[in-house]
């Protein structure tokens, strides 16, 4: 059975809401798609750096600490972040392999049932869970206590708001 096609001849992408769009609608600069269903869907590609969601120092720490098993993606990055989101929310994330279409400029495309801000919050929340799990295996129980105390004071929504303002991620990022 062949893949669905849409006018224009490129591959169709079925969005989490059930709408179908041409893959060519999703370009490299897109962060969010304003869908005909009335919702906004976050758009992420494998060429988006993980710093889109996390500070550079944290990305560096994750790259040092997280061992990947992928020969194609040996360094922790956006595909790994989106894999964590996909694992946690399989019905809310569509992953498309665009590697057969070199005109796209990316190899992987993820479209979520969440808007870009909510996706950002989810990624931060999941990375915190990952960090908490890693610290729970530390021999130093005070490290876990200290981490838990710090997380009680950490507001994910406030962090995302400040981070997005600093990186100006809400300006001109929506496409129809």
């Amino acid at each position: 059975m062949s893949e669905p096609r849409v006018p224009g001849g490129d591959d169709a992408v079925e969005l989490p809401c059930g709408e179908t769009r041409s893959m060519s609608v999703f370009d490299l600069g897109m962060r969010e798609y304003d869908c005909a269903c009335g919702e906004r869907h976050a758009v992420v590609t494998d060429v988006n750096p993980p710093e889109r969601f996390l500070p550079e120092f944290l990305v560096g720490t994750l790259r040092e600490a997280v061992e990947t098993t992928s020969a194609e993606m040996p360094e922790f990055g956006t595909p790994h972040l989106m894999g964590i989101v996909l694992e946690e929310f399989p019905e809310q994330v569509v992953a498309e392999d665009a590697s057969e279409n070199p005109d796209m400029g990316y190899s992987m495309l993820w479209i979520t049932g969440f808007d870009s801000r909510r996706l950002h919050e989810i990624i931060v929340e999941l990375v915190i869970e990952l960090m908490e799990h890693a610290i729970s295996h530390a021999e130093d129980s005070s490290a876990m206590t200290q981490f838990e105390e710090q997380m009680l004071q950490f507001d994910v929504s406030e962090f995302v708001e400040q981070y997005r303002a600093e990186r100006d991620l809400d300006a001109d990022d929506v496409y129809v």
Side-chain angles (χ1 to χ4, degrees), residues 14-170:
E14 185 172 342
L15 307 181
C17 64
E19 296 279 334
T20 303
R21 294 293 174 267
S22 166
M23 188 178 290
S24 64
V25 167
F26 306 101
D27 65 43
L28 284 173
M30 187 178 285
R31 301 283 188 251
E32 201 165 64
Y33 178 71
D34 198 3
C35 187
C37 75
E39 298 294 322
R40 288 185 169 182
H41 302 289
V43 176
V44 180
T45 65
D46 61 317
V47 296
N48 292 139
E51 290 85 357
R52 171 180 169 184
F53 304 104
L54 304 169
E56 190 173 333
F57 81 88
L58 184 53
V59 171
T61 300
L62 289 168
R63 284 183 173 150
E64 288 177 22
V66 176
E67 292 182 29
T68 66
T69 58
S70 172
E72 292 103 21
M73 295 175 271
E75 184 175 76
F76 185 86
T78 301
H80 300 95
L81 291 174
M82 292 308 297
I84 295 167
V85 175
L86 180 61
E87 185 176 312
E88 194 71 26
F89 300 97
E91 301 299 318
Q92 293 292 320
V93 180
V94 171
E96 289 290 324
D97 182 351
S99 61
E100 299 294 319
N101 191 342
D103 294 334
M104 296 310 303
Y106 52 80
S107 296
M108 284 296 300
L109 170 69
W110 295 271
I111 303 165
T112 73
F114 318 110
D115 64 19
S116 62
R117 180 184 175 81
R118 181 64 188 131
L119 174 63
H120 198 157
E121 291 173 349
I122 288 169
I123 287 174
V124 171
E125 290 165 356
L126 292 173
V127 168
I128 289 170
E129 285 181 24
L130 180 71
M131 292 166 50
E132 183 177 29
H133 178 75
I135 290 172
S136 73
H137 291 285
E139 293 178 14
D140 181 5
S141 64
S142 66
M144 184 63 177
T145 302
Q146 185 179 16
F147 181 79
E148 287 174 344
E149 288 172 2
Q150 290 174 349
M151 288 303 100
L152 288 174
Q153 298 172 12
F154 184 74
D155 184 320
V156 171
S157 293
E158 183 179 318
F159 167 81
V160 168
E161 183 176 327
Q162 289 177 1
Y163 192 74
R164 292 173 73 84
E166 287 175 21
R167 296 192 42 98
D168 195 24
L169 291 179
D170 288 321

